[in-house]
Amino acid sequence: MKKKTLTQYLVEQQRSAQAISSELRLLIEVVARACKSISHAVGKGALGGVLGALESENVQGEVQKKLDVLSNEILLEANEWGGHLAAMASEEMETLHAIPNRYPKGEYLLLFDPLDGSSNIDVNVSIGTIFSVLKAPHGLGQEIVENDFLQPGTAQVAAGYAVYGPQTMLVLTIGQGAVGFTLDREMGSWVMTQEKYEIPEDTKEFAINMSNMRHWAPPMKHYIDDCLAGKTGPLGKDYNMRWIASMVADVHRVLTRGGIFMYPWDSREPSKPGKLRLMYEANPMSFLVEQAGGVSITGTQRIMEVQPEKLHQRVSVILGSKNEVERVAKYHAEQGWEATP
Ligand code: AHG
Ligand code: MN
Ligand code: MN
């Protein structure tokens, strides 16, 4: 049987399941198209002159890579004129991006991490784009302010990521499971290759940047110590470790074969509980992981229930296979750890 494309999937979801509006369908199609352009730029690498850093820093004080800025521009340009958005926000921009007055406005808010895994760009390792869609809390016509974006992850109407790896894939949820599409480069279309991701409940594979161990909270350190103790330790199994340092690629592995991914709270900067950003990274990934039967927490709280206070807020992230994430929650609860998020 002929494989389904992203367009077919979305039209079906709009028509029969009525899971999405036509505006949301258009929005997702446009984001997917922008990801195709980013994938093309990524694939060219040095030939396209897209590697390397710029002189600039983003609002979070991180040096911007050429591809961070290029991907941001591609997403902004693609989404400005379609009439489906009220405003956008990005990891690479200080504040929200209003839709220019010359274009019609819609009811959705789009948030993105245009290029995730920046440290891997120049070394030809998988990177990605992460996005999240919310509804504007009030009707059209009213000006959108930053506060309108500060909705918990449970309010997301869609989320997804593109991973630019050996294959370019798009993994999407509209609240009806997590679905995977592979980019057919010759045809230029997204073809469904995974109808439903299901994260195994148990795992022996953890992903964490071990070099930060000395900064972690006691329950986190305790848990990893127990993992490292292996079969004869308290957890009774030998663990394996993976750390790609692109959240997109690490989470893609978790969705595909299970595992636990952690970027936990650490003591380096008290104003930043963790490294990852709630609105552009943690919430969309949590939505996908939960839709695939996994769990996603800060250590003490479900990430999607965290009430955001700032657009660029950081959060502790522990997500993946249900039983393993719940085990980590137990370590936090038993040790009365309250500093997260
Ligand atoms: P970004 O490139 O968007 O700034 O995100 C990088 C993030 C995430 O993708 C990854 O899991 C983590 O940073 C890696 O951090 P370390 O370099 O501290 O391991
Ligand atoms: Mn990122
Ligand atoms: Mn980024």
Side-chain angles (χ1 to χ4, degrees):
M1 207 183 79
K2 204 172 158 287
K3 285 213 162 102
K4 205 181 278 184
T5 63
L6 174 67
T7 302
Q8 273 172 301
Y9 170 74
L10 292 174
V11 168
E12 275 175 24
Q13 290 296 321
Q14 185 196 332
R15 261 192 215 147
S16 47
Q18 305 207 324
I20 48 169
S21 62
S22 58
E23 270 201 354
L24 183 54
R25 175 166 69 84
L26 175 66
L27 190 167
I28 295 168
E29 293 253 28
V30 173
V31 171
R33 204 176 309 140
C35 290
K36 243 188 265 179
S37 303
I38 299 171
S39 171
H40 184 75
V42 167
K44 289 256 174 228
L47 300 179
V50 298
L51 303 186
L54 296 166
E55 306 256 296
S56 54
E57 280 187 354
N58 65 13
V59 58
Q60 302 155 66
E62 297 160 343
V63 173
Q64 289 184 303
K65 297 281 170 63
K66 283 187 197 164
L67 262 181
D68 288 325
V69 173
L70 179 67
S71 309
N72 196 56
E73 279 165 6
I74 289 174
L75 280 157
L76 289 180
E77 271 169 31
N79 283 284
E80 258 182 1
W81 52 271
H84 47 279
L85 283 181
M88 291 181 256
S90 158
E91 184 188 283
E92 299 299 337
M93 298 187 298
E94 191 163 345
T95 185
L96 63 87
H97 179 91
I99 300 300
N101 282 333
R102 59 185 183 279
Y103 301 124
K105 292 180 188 58
E107 58 176 342
Y108 294 102
L109 302 174
L110 174 66
L111 300 96
F112 45 83
D113 174 356
L115 206 290
D116 175 70
S118 304
S119 75
N120 283 323
I121 294 172
D122 295 347
V123 291
N124 199 6
V125 172
S126 296
I127 48 183
T129 297
I130 310 172
F131 67 94
S132 162
V133 186
L134 296 164
K135 258 192 162 169
H138 47 73
L140 302 179
Q142 229 171 304
E143 196 196 336
I144 297 290
V145 293
E146 222 170 276
N147 214 31
D148 296 332
F149 282 85
L150 304 183
Q151 305 177 37
T154 48
Q156 292 171 104
V157 293
Y161 62 77
V163 57
Y164 314 116
Q167 306 106 45
T168 288
M169 288 192 70
L170 181 80
V171 179
L172 171 73
T173 185
I174 50 169
Q176 308 285 320
V179 194
F181 302 85
T182 303
L183 180 62
D184 181 331
R185 293 181 209 269
E186 284 72 40
M187 302 301 287
S189 55
W190 295 102
V191 181
M192 188 189 281
T193 45
Q194 186 74 37
E195 211 178 315
K196 189 173 167 39
Y197 282 96
E198 282 174 281
I199 302 176
E201 292 192 348
D202 292 295
T203 185
K204 292 179 174 181
E205 197 161 61
F206 70 82
I208 195 163
N209 184 339
M210 290 286 291
S211 69
N212 297 324
M213 192 173 207
R214 68 191 181 285
H215 304 296
W216 297 338
M220 204 59 234
K221 190 163 182 303
H222 190 171
Y223 166 67
I224 294 293
D225 279 341
D226 288 354
C227 292
L228 297 180
K231 219 180 172 89
T232 54
L235 303 184
K237 50 182 174 179
D238 287 329
Y239 281 79
N240 189 22
M241 195 194 92
R242 287 284 184 277
W243 185 250
I244 301 172
S246 293
M247 185 193 201
V248 156
D250 278 311
V251 171
H252 189 66
R253 183 186 61 255
V254 169
L255 277 169
T256 308
R257 70 174 187 211
I260 181 167
F261 167 89
M262 296 158 281
Y263 212 119
W265 179 93
D266 74 39
S267 61
R268 278 176 292 180
E269 287 181 70
S271 64
K272 290 181 188 163
K275 176 175 186 185
L276 300 174
R277 278 126 309 203
L278 176 61
M279 308 298 289
Y280 318 110
E281 293 169 320
N283 271 340
M285 290 311 204
S286 299
F287 193 12
L288 287 164
V289 164
E290 286 196 9
Q291 286 290 316
V295 177
S296 183
I297 59 169
T298 63
T300 54
Q301 192 186 359
R302 184 183 171 208
I303 286 183
M304 292 220 288
E305 287 176 2
V306 173
Q307 175 58 47
E309 282 160 10
K310 287 186 301 202
L311 207 46
H312 297 293
Q313 182 167 335
R314 315 269 184 150
V315 71
S316 165
V317 176
I318 297 157
L319 61 77
S321 292
K322 183 173 180 285
N323 293 338
E324 204 61 28
V325 176
E326 283 172 357
R327 189 200 299 282
V328 178
K330 226 164 122 207
Y331 275 68
H332 281 77
E334 278 166 7
Q335 298 185 27
W337 182 256
E338 289 291 346
T340 55

